[in-house]
Amino acid sequence: MAQQRGHWGSKAGFILAAAGSAIGLGNIWKFPYITGENGGGAFVIVYLGCIALIALPILIGEIIMGKTTQQSAVPAFRELSRPASPWMGIGWMGVLAAFLLLSYYAVIAGWTMHYVWLALQGTFTGLDAEGVNNVFNESAASPGLNLSWLVVFMALTTFIVAGGIKRGIELASRIMLPLLGLILLALMIVAATSAKGGFSQAVDFVFSFRADQLTADGVLEAVGHAFFSVGVGMGTMIAYGSYLKRKSDAVGTSVLIVGLDTVIALMACMVLFPITFAYGLEPDAGPGLVFKNMPIALLALPGGSFWAVIFFVLLFVAALTSAISLLEVATSYVVDELKWSRLKAAFIGGILITLVGVPSALSNGSHWFNEGFADITGKNWLDSVDYLVSNIMLPLGGLGIALFVGWRMSKSIRQSAFSEGSGLAATYGAWCFLIQWLAPAAVLIVFLNAVGILDLGIFAEPGDTQAEIEAAPELVDPDDLE
Ligand code: PHE
């Protein structure tokens, strides 16, 4: 079985595909808006800590599990423990999480495609902030638009995954990831040169530490987002790692993937916030942030429609390379476990996920999935599923993977898989400490604190934080910019 398994064409191919999985809507759509909602600096620092001390060690663990077993998540747990081991439950939860995540991710990705289309048609030309706001609200609320783009996006994702590892996933990432880096760099230069005062305000907002802005829920969100953004906790990287040769370096590549992911997230903030401040817009606009603020700013530039098209193409490309890794989790599971062909697995998986995505597509337009659902959970369907996956399933899955790799997996296999092919073998002891103790303890404490079982009392109350944001006019006052 193992010898017929598809493999990455090269080390660079794997790194690009894995970075393509990590870099997605999480970096450009979600990170800036949750940073905005959580008051900036302090949240960013906690997030960076979570990335380095929790997400990176777990990513190394996932890649090690994949390359050692040459199997996707569920069978990898089995092979490294025993048949019918309860540890396999973590793998199943991962498959479910990937399934749910892609179901709403594809809806947001659909918005990015719709925006490319709108920008191409020149829809935003001449609109003021209110006009752009209306475009977003109308688009997000239209059932027809959301459903159609969901289907188009899922069809594209499915075709790429059905195309296989080397010809499908690797080829797509090789073209798309460098393109994304270039576009973001160009936009950052545009933001730095055209948004003048906004840039220094943005630097202050993103990088200065204001501890009083941090709530327990904000810390949980930072942990959850570290998992979401790197893409660990659901076995995506077990699957991607399983297409690596056994001797490949897991550690150096993980550092590189996490580094790229973080740089892109911070760059996205440095594109979005300068513009937000320079135009007197709100940093805490929620999920609509990029869709509401970017068109206004880009259209004000010379050649504005062109930049707007480019920006939304960028978002779309980022979403697509991540979506293929999510579909790959389910696909590799049925290929490995049920011995289906890749084509059949990808198509059936793609269709099922599209169906599960329907309520997300209707989340802003149907009373039932919007206010109706909000009466039960406090959020509409899409935001509720996002909360469930990002803040609960991924941290729990990550906790399980850390405990498994740290305590259950054979020591000698673990050590040799860590050291093989790696120039960073000397960090083995430190990594063991992180994955055995620090990562599990941190996830557990933050989690119990946020769900109210444990009250550490060290974080601000949500009410205080909101008041703080509002009481900080120097951050958002457009008059200062003249
Ligand atoms: N990391 C992706 C993003 O930032 C989303 C993702 C999550 C992809 C989990 C794979 C696994 O958008």
Side-chain angles (χ1 to χ4, degrees), residues 29-241:
W29 162 72
K30 195 170 173 194
F31 183 64
Y33 93 70
I34 57 177
T35 298
E37 284 181 339
N38 286 290
F43 175 82
V44 173
I45 290 177
V46 173
Y47 171 76
L48 293 178
C50 295
I51 286 282
L53 301 176
I54 304 176
L56 172 64
I58 295 177
L59 173 64
I60 298 174
E62 283 201 21
I63 295 184
I64 283 181
M65 286 181 69
K67 75 164 185 162
T68 335
T69 57
Q70 300 280 299
Q71 299 277 340
S72 58
V74 177
F77 275 103
R78 181 194 302 123
E79 198 165 311
L80 292 168
S81 53
R82 61 178 163 77
S85 154
W87 287 104
M88 287 163 65
I90 300 164
W92 280 317
M93 185 169 80
V95 175
L96 182 67
F99 216 85
L100 288 175
L101 203 160
L102 185 52
S103 78
Y104 70 85
Y105 200 82
V107 172
I108 314 286
W111 295 354
T112 69
M113 296 176 86
H114 183 57
Y115 266 59
V116 172
W117 170 245
L118 291 180
L120 276 173
Q121 289 180 311
T123 310
F124 302 110
T125 317
L127 288 186
D128 57 5
E130 204 191 322
V132 175
N133 240 323
N134 290 341
V135 171
F136 175 75
N137 294 337
E138 279 164 25
S139 313
S142 157
L145 276 180
N146 279 283
L147 288 172
S148 326
W149 287 116
L150 166 69
V151 171
V152 174
F153 183 79
M154 281 305 300
L156 271 173
T157 307
T158 306
F159 277 116
I160 297 177
V161 173
I165 298 305
K166 230 185 278 185
R167 275 185 310 126
I169 299 177
E170 183 170 338
L171 184 67
S173 311
R174 261 177 190 273
I175 301 169
M176 292 196 276
L177 204 72
L179 182 71
L180 186 145
L182 278 180
I183 299 178
L184 206 56
L185 197 64
L187 286 169
M188 208 168 84
I189 296 171
V190 167
T193 50
S194 75
K196 297 179 203 87
F199 201 77
S200 53
Q201 251 186 315
V203 171
D204 179 54
F205 182 72
V206 175
F207 293 107
S208 51
F209 189 77
R210 285 175 292 272
D212 54 350
Q213 305 260 317
L214 214 55
T215 60
D217 227 19
V219 177
L220 177 66
E221 183 132 37
V223 176
H225 189 66
F227 283 103
F228 184 97
S229 189
V230 176
V232 285
M234 60 169 66
T236 323
M237 289 299 151
I238 303 183
Y240 270 29

Side-chain angles (χ1 to χ4, degrees), residues 237-399:
M237 289 299 151
I238 303 183
Y240 270 29
S242 75
Y243 308 117
L244 276 174
K245 308 234 164 64
R246 284 208 170 83
K247 294 220 166 58
S248 322
D249 168 21
V251 187
T253 42
S254 297
V255 172
L256 199 61
I257 294 163
V258 166
L260 283 172
D261 184 62
T262 308
V263 168
I264 298 278
L266 294 175
M267 276 171 84
C269 283
M270 283 303 122
V271 171
L272 218 65
F273 287 121
I275 285 171
T276 301
F277 292 125
Y279 287 83
L281 304 166
E282 299 296 335
D284 55 348
L289 185 71
V290 272
F291 296 98
K292 290 175 178 168
N293 293 6
M294 284 310 282
I296 300 174
L298 295 175
L299 265 291
L301 298 171
S305 301
F306 170 76
W307 289 112
V309 173
I310 293 285
F311 178 76
F312 289 106
V313 167
L314 162 86
L315 263 186
F316 160 70
V317 165
L320 188 61
T321 49
S322 297
I324 52 189
S325 75
L326 288 164
L327 182 57
E328 178 61 22
V329 176
T331 305
S332 59
Y333 169 69
V334 277
V335 169
D336 286 348
E337 291 287 270
L338 307 179
K339 310 283 177 259
W340 286 13
S341 72
R342 167 167 281 278
L343 195 73
K344 178 171 159 198
F347 271 91
I348 295 189
I351 291 170
L352 286 177
I353 292 172
T354 310
L355 292 176
V356 178
V358 168
S360 288
L362 301 179
S363 271
N364 291 299
S366 112
H367 176 76
W368 210 96
F369 292 114
N370 194 345
E371 297 93 340
F373 209 73
D375 285 344
I376 309 172
T377 65
K379 295 176 162 65
N380 69 22
W381 171 284
L382 192 155
D383 294 342
S384 306
V385 183
D386 182 30
Y387 188 89
L388 172 72
V389 173
S390 312
N391 294 3
I392 298 177
M393 293 175 91
L394 292 187
L396 284 184
L399 175 66

